[in-house]
Amino acid sequence: MRERHRSVDGVLLLDKPSGVSSNAALQRARRCFQAGKAGHGGTLDPFASGLLVVCFGDATKFLQGSLGARKRYEAVIRLGVRTATGDPEGAVVEVTPVPEVSDEHLTHTLNAFLGATLQIPPMFSALKRGGVPLYSLARQGREITRSPRQIEIDRLTVTRRSGAFLWVDVTCGKGTYIRTLAEDIGARIGCAASLVSLRRTAVGSMFI
């Protein structure tokens, strides 16, 4: 049976749950409103939750603005453990001791990431090499050289810490991989690290 569509123009601020891909969430919303045309402003990994900006009809013209907007995240980082994907979905590939770090030293470490800096994109990403997504190559066990890309981080603060876990608040520009940021923070501290959870709370002036 052919799917019936209707003319729908507008923006939906969707709180995507963990365990659902951004595209699956988009398609559910599109079917709910019987919209013929829809898109979202910035992919969230399946394990992540939070704000997914969904646009319908003529509003999809404004998606580029969402893609380039500043984004805010709440992340939980686990020190001492690195996974293949940098998040809870990957197998543990490294376990290291966690050095003792004072609050002052931790703040100094995080401040080093503020402003414009370079970041190497992770293998488990949708970036393409020769038309093939990097995550497809990673699943084949292949590791290829990736060029660093400039990112901008406006805010990076620890809101809570308990044992090997850090709760951080991040505001950053487009193209920033929080999974990679977590690993880089661990490297500066002197240990492995990975994300336990990630939630996007704002895209530009839109928030949940």
Side-chain angles (χ1 to χ4, degrees), residues 127-144:
L127 297 177
K128 294 183 178 180
R129 179 66 59 88
V132 180
L134 292 183
Y135 63 76
S136 294
L137 299 176
R139 288 169 182 166
Q140 298 171 21
R142 297 175 59 185
E143 178 91 16
I144 64 174

Side-chain angles (χ1 to χ4, degrees), residues 1 6 19 52 68 81 85-86 95-96 99 102 105 112 117 122 142 171-172 179 182 184 189-190 201:
M1 183 176 179
R6 60 177 180 169
L52 187 69
V81 176
T85 57
V95 177
T96 66
S102 67
H105 180 62
T117 184
R142 297 175 59 185
T171 301
C172 57
R179 288 176 287 135
D184 291 344
I189 291 174
T201 59

Side-chain angles (χ1 to χ4, degrees), residues 104-175:
E104 181 180 6
H105 180 62
L106 182 58
T107 298
H108 177 75
T109 298
L110 268 58
N111 285 345
F113 291 94
L114 296 177
T117 184
L118 294 176
Q119 184 184 75
I120 298 176
M123 278 299 300
F124 280 90
S125 66
L127 297 177
K128 294 183 178 180
R129 179 66 59 88
V132 180
L134 292 183
Y135 63 76
S136 294
L137 299 176
R139 288 169 182 166
Q140 298 171 21
R142 297 175 59 185
E143 178 91 16
I144 64 174
T145 302
R146 288 96 65 202
S147 299
R149 305 197 311 175
Q150 182 170 301
I151 62 169
E152 292 186 1
I153 297 179
D154 303 324
R155 175 187 176 90
L156 179 57
T157 59
V158 175
T159 59
R160 178 186 170 194
R161 61 184 299 193
S162 178
F165 295 89
L166 302 177
W167 283 256
V168 297
D169 185 356
V170 187
T171 301
C172 57
K174 65 178 181 178

Side-chain angles (χ1 to χ4, degrees), residues 37-56:
K37 184 178 181 181
H40 64 73
T43 301
L44 272 173
D45 289 332
F47 83 94
S49 66
L51 180 57
L52 187 69
V53 179
V54 177
C55 294
F56 301 110

